């Protein structure tokens, strides 16, 4: 059974979510669900819709062109069809998430390798007060563990606080908080980033131009994230602010603390999403009870709504009008802050309220969602791998592949279990294993091979 | 070195592979997944998320581990011993790569069964031959990337190639070697999977022997005629063989070259 979440339009959904991947269950209306299932069938079998769907989807690189089949309406064996839908859409969903994650990592790695500002040590955040400049290994390890404990506690406290706020419907407070944080991110951090890039390439730029650029960038970002706009723009902005957050983390987290924090936060993610009393799980369940989409602004979503009219169920459906809508249609898309949480959702956009007949259906493209915290921590891992003093690209590449594999596996599990799942543990585990093993084992081997120009 | 060297070597090494990727793989998400990752889930409809690059990475990791242990356990100043260990490391790595190719074949076989079971018309959306091709490209791309990417990064920086008496053609020959290796991995993938499918063990042995031969020939470097020429010859042989195995023939080739219409002519990568 594929589970859906019936999203209502444009509610205030301000909440920070922990890192998790989820496919939400919702109590469906019977006739609506039948209509949905029938429409899914049609969706699965309509070649053209998929093609147009993928052409509209901003991050869908792969068009399914070869696997078209005839349109047949099936009222029987729906479960089989749904499983096949999972399969057919699964691969597309994976690619829809691969592309933004890859883009974010590319931005981060490109910046790390070229702009030296983000690899210079210039102090630490207050969340990691213990310095790692001690000569003894034991002391350094202890300091990094203490830093991790403090950081994770801060994150836990923030999450619990936000869950409490969400539970007691203090939407305005959260809304204001998120507007403030996205304001800072979009203006201040972008200004710093622009300044450092210009310094690196020794490009002179006068203040009026800078003000113009930053003002436009920030204002459009605020409008898009907190109000309405094209989906691609929102996705682009979410990727950019994730990258900015990642760069801040990479700059201000000390070396060993960063790795320990990455490990600890995957464990925390696992607990928070899977345990019955975990904050994120409570968040997800509360949102499902209220039939609200969860934090559309803090989640990267690639879902879209398609409006298609069909002449007959037996003939190939013709797309008469297609529009790309923001599937969440949020007014409050809040950006994430340093303690942003994340989830992956397998969601469906809501069907309209008009009676669903066989002649006319609203087709909906199911989308996948990934929380911004996931983006951030994936890219922190890859960025840290890129920032290693040895300057080895193999390590970066290996971590990149490892994270993508982890994401793929997580989406596989999502398809199997169909409930909220943490997105961090598998990817971060693979990433950490591959980072340390590539850096210490593969690098000397490959360097020796390269110096003798041997090929394996 | 200049940007010209960087871009030249990048395009020599990866140009054909990326064109193959763009034209045959990029459009199908299933193929992309098979290409990239390498999961170990052998069951369920998602078994297709086995990715060649990951499997290649794991094989590289294991072989590096063995080499690393051997080196640490030996005397670092004993030159012939280190050279011997390196040769051993290379050969072991080749054998391990082929072993992982076999493991990957097993995984994809299970995946196809899963896909067939779930499909409505009883056939999988992707055939084992396509998977073999995509898997080969994945292996090749990953192997090429690992060989080449540090070189390319160095090519952007300052320096002069061969100033201490080494060969001046280092970058160029590395790029050509990488390109031939990527092609070879693609063809070996097709040959290997075909051999496994039809129980023709001599094809599998041929792939392993070819791989050992190519890696062994690189020991002639910097005498490039001893490594590049045999590799390209082997690549041509493997190409023709893979083409024949995939259903190609001289007639198909002639029809393709003359752009003539042909009914039911199978293409190597379909």
């Amino acid at each position: 059974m594929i589970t859906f979440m019936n999203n209502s339009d444009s509610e205030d959904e301000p909440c920070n979510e922990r890192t998790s991947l989820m496919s939400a269950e919702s109590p469906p209306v019977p006739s609506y669900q039948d209509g949905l299932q029938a429409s899914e069938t049609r969706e699965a079998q309509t070649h053209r819709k998929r093609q147009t769907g993928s052409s509209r989807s901003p991050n869908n690189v792969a068009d399914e062109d070869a696997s078209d089949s005839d349109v047949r309406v099936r009222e029987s064996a729906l479960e089989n069809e749904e499983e096949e839908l999972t399969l057919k859409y699964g691969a597309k969903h994976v690619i829809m998430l691969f592309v933004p994650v890859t883009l974010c990592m590319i931005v981060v790695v490109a910046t790390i390798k070229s702009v030296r500002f983000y690899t210079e040590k210039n102090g630490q955040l207050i969340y990691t007060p213990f310095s790692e400049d001690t000569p003894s290994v034991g002391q350094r390890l202890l300091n990094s563990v203490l830093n991790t404990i403090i950081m994770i506690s801060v994150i836990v406290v923030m999450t619990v606080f936000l869950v409490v706020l969400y539970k007691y419907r203090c939407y305005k407070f959260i809304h204001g908080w998120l507007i403030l944080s996205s304001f800072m991110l979009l203006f201040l951090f972008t200004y710093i980033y622009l300044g450092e890039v210009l310094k690196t390439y020794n490009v002179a730029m006068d203040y009026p131009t800078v003000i113009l650029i930053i003002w436009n960038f920030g204002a459009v970002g605020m409008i898009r994230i907190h109000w309405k706009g094209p989906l691609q723009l929102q996705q682009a902005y979410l990727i950019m602010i994730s990258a900015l957050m990642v760069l801040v983390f990479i700059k201000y987290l000390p070396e060993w603390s960063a790795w320990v924090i990455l490990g600890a936060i995957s464990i925390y993610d696992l607990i928070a999403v899977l345990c019955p009393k975990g904050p994120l799980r409570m968040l997800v369940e509360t949102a499902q009870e209220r039939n609200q989409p969860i934090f559309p602004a803090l989640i990267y979503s690639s879902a879209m709504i398609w409006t298609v009219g069909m002449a007959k169920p037996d003939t190939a459906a013709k797309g008469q009008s297609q529009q790309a809508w923001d599937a969440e249609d949020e007014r409050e898309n809040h950006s994430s802050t340093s303690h942003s949480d994340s989830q992956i959702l397998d969601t469906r956009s809501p069907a309209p309220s008009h009676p669903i007949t066989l002649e006319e259906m609203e087709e909906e493209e199911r989308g996948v969602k990934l929380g911004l915290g996931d983006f951030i921590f994936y890219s922190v891992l890859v960025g840290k791998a890129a920032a290693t003093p040895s300057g080895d690209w193999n390590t970066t590449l290996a971590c990149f592949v490892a994270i993508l594999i982890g994401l793929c596996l997580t989406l596989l599990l999502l398809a199997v279990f169909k409930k909220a799942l943490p997105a961090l543990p598998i990817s971060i585990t693979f990433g950490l294993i591959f980072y340390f093993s590539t850096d210490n084992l593969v690098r000397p081997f490959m360097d020796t091979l390269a110096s003798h120009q041997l090929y394996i | 070195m200049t940007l010209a060297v960087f871009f030249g070597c990048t395009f020599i090494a990866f140009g054909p592979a990326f064109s193959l990727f763009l034209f045959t793989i990029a459009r199908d998400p299933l193929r992309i997944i098979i290409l990239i990752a390498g999961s170990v889930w052998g069951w369920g409809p998602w078994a297709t998320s086995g990715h060649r690059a990951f499997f290649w990475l794991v094989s590289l990791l294991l072989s590096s581990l063995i080499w690393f242990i051997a080196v640490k356990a030996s005397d670092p100043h004993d030159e012939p011993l280190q050279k011997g260990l390196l040769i051993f490391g290379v050969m072991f790595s080749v054998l391990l790569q082929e072993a992982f190719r076999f493991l990957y074949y097993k995984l994809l076989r299970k995946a196809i069964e899963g896909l067939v079971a779930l499909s409505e018309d009883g056939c999988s959306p992707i055939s084992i031959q396509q998977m073999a091709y995509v898997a080969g490209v994945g292996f090749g791309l990953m192997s090429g990337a690992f060989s080449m990417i540090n070189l390319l990064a160095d090519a952007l920086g300052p320096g002069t190639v061969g100033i201490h008496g080494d060969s001046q053609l280092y970058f160029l020959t590395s790029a050509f070697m990488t390109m031939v290796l990527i092609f070879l991995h693609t063809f070996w993938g097709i040959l290997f999977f075909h051999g496994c499918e039809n129980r023709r063990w001599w094809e599998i042995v041929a792939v392993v022997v070819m791989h050992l031969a190519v890696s062994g020939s690189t020991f002639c470097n910097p005498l490039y005629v001893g490594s590049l020429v045999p590799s390209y010859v082997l690549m041509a042989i493997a190409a023709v063989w893979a083409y024949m195995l995939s259903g190609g023939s001289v007639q198909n080739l002639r029809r393709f070259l003359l752009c003539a219409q042909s009914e039911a002519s199978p293409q190597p990568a379909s």
Side-chain angles (χ1 to χ4, degrees):
Chain A
M1 278 291 298
I2 299 179
T3 59
F4 311 104
M5 188 167 95
N6 295 333
N7 300 331
S8 46
D9 284 336
S10 66
E11 297 281 337
D12 277 6
E13 310 325 331
C15 257
N16 266 340
E17 294 168 316
R18 265 301 133 202
T19 341
S20 62
L21 170 78
M22 75 172 249
S23 149
E25 287 254 4
S26 70
V29 176
S31 61
Y32 171 56
Q33 191 172 30
D34 288 343
L36 282 183
Q37 285 170 347
S39 74
E40 267 167 33
T41 319
R42 219 160 280 109
E43 203 177 8
Q45 303 174 15
T46 305
H47 156 63
R48 179 156 159 204
K49 253 183 235 71
R50 252 184 282 130
Q51 230 181 4
T52 39
S54 47
S55 66
R56 289 287 197 138
S57 171
N59 296 299
N60 192 356
V61 176
D63 264 349
E64 289 161 286
D65 50 352
S67 53
D68 41 350
S69 45
D70 297 326
V71 171
R72 298 186 287 273
V73 173
R74 287 194 185 174
E75 273 82 24
S76 64
L78 280 172
E79 195 167 309
N80 217 12
E81 287 158 4
E82 282 161 14
E83 276 181 20
E84 196 199 328
L85 258 180
T86 316
L87 169 66
K88 282 192 173 162
Y89 278 93
K92 202 159 119 184
H93 288 173
V94 172
I95 303 302
M96 284 202 301
L97 282 187
F98 270 9
V99 177
V101 170
T102 311
L103 277 176
C104 190
M105 286 183 192
I106 287 176
V107 171
V108 168
V109 169
T111 311
I112 293 281
K113 290 284 188 186
S114 54
V115 179
R116 213 162 312 142
F117 172 73
Y118 288 106
T119 39
E120 288 164 1
K121 285 261 86 176
N122 254 345
Q124 297 179 198
L125 297 170
I126 53 162
Y127 303 118
T128 53
F130 294 94
S131 159
E132 280 191 14
D133 278 335
T134 52
S136 82
V137 171
Q139 182 70 21
R140 189 172 181 186
L141 196 61
L142 182 68
N143 282 352
S144 54
V145 170
L146 289 173
N147 280 338
T148 309
I149 292 175
I150 295 177
M151 186 82 165
I152 300 288
S153 340
V154 167
I155 292 177
V156 170
V157 162
M158 295 287 200
T159 316
V160 169
F161 182 47
L162 280 166
V163 171
V164 161
L165 285 177
Y166 185 66
K167 245 184 147 54
Y168 291 109
R169 300 178 193 262
C170 307
Y171 297 138
K172 287 215 175 353
F173 186 91
I174 302 177
H175 195 175
W177 183 0
L178 288 173
I179 285 187
L180 199 65
S181 65
S182 62
F183 184 85
M184 189 184 72
L185 212 58
L186 279 172
F187 285 96
L188 180 66
F189 286 4
T190 313
Y191 173 69
I192 295 174
Y193 180 77
L194 185 65
E196 291 307 320
V197 169
L198 292 176
K199 268 188 227 168
T200 306
Y201 292 106
N202 205 16
V203 173
M205 192 179 273
D206 52 316
Y207 271 118
T209 314
V210 167
I211 290 175
L212 195 71
I213 293 175
I214 299 288
W215 170 250
N216 279 304
F217 180 80
V220 172
M222 290 294 285
I223 291 176
R224 181 56 198 96
I225 292 174
H226 296 275
W227 195 43
K228 281 200 247 257
L231 184 64
Q232 279 97 325
L233 201 59
Q234 183 193 22
Q235 291 170 333
Y237 268 104
L238 289 179
I239 294 177
M240 281 191 268
I241 61 178
S242 305
L244 287 173
M245 268 323 300
V246 171
L247 291 170
V248 166
F249 272 141
I250 293 178
K251 181 170 173 62
Y252 289 111
L253 282 182
E255 192 67 42
W256 289 18
S257 306
W259 297 111
V260 183
I261 284 176
L262 276 173
I265 203 153
S266 341
I267 299 175
Y268 167 69
D269 195 30
L270 201 63
I271 299 173
V273 175
L274 294 180
C275 287
K277 279 297 170 196
L280 290 179
R281 185 166 170 156
M282 284 172 40
L283 193 69
V284 164
E285 286 165 1
T286 316
Q288 283 173 351
E289 283 164 30
R290 297 182 193 173
N291 236 357
Q292 290 168 347
I294 298 188
F295 301 138
L298 286 179
I299 302 187
Y300 177 93
S301 95
S302 44
M304 291 190 164
I305 303 181
W306 296 93
T307 312
V308 185
M310 296 195 305
K312 272 185 210 162
D314 285 343
T315 61
K318 299 170 186 49
Q320 286 167 4
S321 69
Q322 283 144 359
Q323 295 166 317
W325 289 59
D326 184 9
E328 304 314 309
D329 192 30
E330 23 304 321
R331 280 198 190 124
E332 297 77 23
N333 289 341
H334 310 287
S335 65
S336 64
T337 59
S338 60
H339 48 269
S340 66
D341 310 325
S342 48
Q343 282 185 348
I344 293 185
L345 296 166
D346 213 1
T347 68
R348 293 204 67 183
S349 325
S353 53
H354 69 70
I356 295 171
T357 63
L358 284 180
E359 281 85 59
E360 190 181 293
M361 290 270 191
E362 274 240 347
E363 294 283 334
E364 290 159 8
E365 179 90 20
R366 275 184 310 123
V368 203
K369 296 186 186 186
L370 178 64
L372 286 192
D374 289 325
F375 272 90
I376 289 177
F377 286 109
Y378 290 163
S379 305
V380 165
L381 196 147
V382 175
K384 272 286 180 196
T388 52
S390 58
D392 189 35
W393 281 87
N394 287 341
T395 319
T396 315
L397 196 58
C399 289
F400 167 72
V401 172
I403 287 184
L404 287 189
I405 299 300
L407 187 59
C408 207
L409 282 178
T410 317
L411 286 169
L412 165 63
L413 287 180
L414 177 69
V416 168
F417 289 112
K418 297 189 174 62
K419 50 180 267 211
L421 287 181
L424 280 186
I426 301 179
S427 288
I428 300 286
T429 311
F430 279 169
L432 288 175
I433 292 175
F434 271 84
Y435 171 74
F436 287 110
S437 50
T438 312
D439 201 36
N440 297 316
L441 297 175
V442 176
R443 186 165 52 89
F445 186 46
M446 294 303 285
D447 283 347
T448 318
L449 288 181
S451 65
H452 291 98
Q453 215 171 3
L454 299 176
Y455 283 82
I456 50 169
Chain B
M1 291 131 279
T2 60
L3 265 186
V5 171
F6 172 75
F7 279 114
C9 290
T10 309
F11 291 142
I12 289 176
F14 295 114
F18 274 132
S19 336
L20 282 177
F21 175 78
L22 272 177
F23 287 123
T24 56
I25 299 178
R27 296 222 218 103
D28 188 1
L30 211 54
R31 293 182 195 174
I32 297 182
I33 295 175
I34 297 177
L35 181 96
I36 300 174
S39 88
V40 290
W41 304 114
W43 54 86
W46 278 84
T48 48
S49 47
H51 299 255
R52 203 47 185 266
F54 186 73
F55 268 64
W56 188 87
L57 263 183
V58 176
S59 79
L60 178 67
L61 218 84
L62 290 176
S63 46
S64 313
L65 177 65
I66 304 287
W67 177 82
F68 189 78
I69 293 175
V71 164
K72 285 297 175 204
S74 66
D75 177 20
H77 299 296
D78 190 355
E79 278 299 328
L81 179 63
Q82 295 298 320
K83 185 87 183 186
L85 278 180
L86 200 59
I87 297 176
F88 163 70
V90 168
M91 295 300 147
F92 185 72
S93 176
V94 167
L95 293 173
L96 210 57
Q97 281 180 49
E98 297 306 323
F100 269 78
R101 207 194 294 266
F102 181 70
L103 280 178
Y104 195 53
Y105 163 74
K106 284 275 171 225
L107 177 69
L108 286 181
R109 262 250 69 97
K110 282 220 184 97
I112 287 216
E113 286 163 21
L115 285 173
V116 166
L118 281 176
S119 77
E120 55 200 36
D121 49 0
C123 52
S124 141
I126 186 169
S127 69
I128 191 77
Q129 289 87 357
Q130 292 176 1
M131 279 186 177
Y133 163 72
V134 171
V137 174
F139 241 54
L141 272 177
M142 204 58 193
S143 145
F146 260 66
S147 317
M148 204 57 198
I149 211 164
N150 276 328
L151 279 178
L152 291 176
D154 287 337
L156 278 175
T160 307
V161 188
I163 198 170
H164 290 296
D166 301 305
S167 164
Q168 289 182 6
L169 298 172
Y170 185 80
F171 283 141
L172 258 181
T173 50
S174 298
F176 277 109
M177 196 68 206
T178 307
M179 175 175 79
V180 81
L181 258 185
I182 297 180
F183 273 134
L184 276 171
H185 273 294
T186 312
F187 301 136
W188 286 336
I190 301 176
L191 288 175
F192 197 94
F193 278 40
H194 185 265
C196 290
E197 275 291 295
N198 303 355
R199 299 269 181 266
R200 293 206 208 155
W201 306 116
W202 53 278
E203 280 178 11
I204 300 174
V205 168
V207 168
V208 177
V209 166
M210 267 198 272
H211 197 165
L212 283 171
V214 169
S215 281
S217 73
T218 59
F219 282 100
C220 295
N221 286 334
L223 186 67
Y224 294 121
V225 78
S227 70
L228 280 178
V229 171
S231 305
Y232 273 90
V233 167
L234 277 175
M235 182 191 87
I237 295 174
V240 169
W241 196 357
Y243 185 63
M244 294 298 174
L245 283 183
S246 310
S249 63
V250 184
Q251 289 86 356
N252 286 341
L253 199 57
R254 198 166 357 113
R255 275 196 225 118
F256 166 72
L257 288 173
L258 298 176
C259 294
Q261 282 294 78
S262 58
E263 60 287 349
S265 61
Q267 315 215 322
S270 60

